[in-house]
Amino acid sequence: MIEDGDVDELAQVMQGFVNKRFHFSEAKVKQSIDRLYEDTYYQRVEKTLAKLV
């Protein structure tokens, strides 16, 4: 895990990915960003707003 604000470490990880030293599981990446997909995001917003009303 990269600490918030650690730009140097982020750059090293990104360079490692470019150099094929690191591999990220496609399934894990998809799962980790699932809540950011548009459909999922709007469903969460709708549920939150329904709780407030």
Side-chain angles (χ1 to χ4, degrees), residues 30-49:
K30 185 176 180 179
Q31 181 184 22
S32 74
I33 63 171
D34 181 64
R35 64 186 187 90
L36 301 175
Y37 288 129
E38 186 175 0
D39 291 343
T40 306
Y41 174 80
Y42 286 126
Q43 288 172 3
R44 288 181 29 239
V45 168
E46 187 176 312
K47 286 180 184 178
T48 301
L49 291 174

Side-chain angles (χ1 to χ4, degrees), residues 13-31:
V13 171
M14 291 175 69
Q15 189 60 55
F17 179 72
V18 169
N19 294 343
K20 301 190 187 295
R21 290 185 309 204
F22 301 111
H23 171 74
F24 300 102
S25 163
E26 184 177 326
K28 285 185 180 182
V29 170
K30 185 176 180 179
Q31 181 184 22

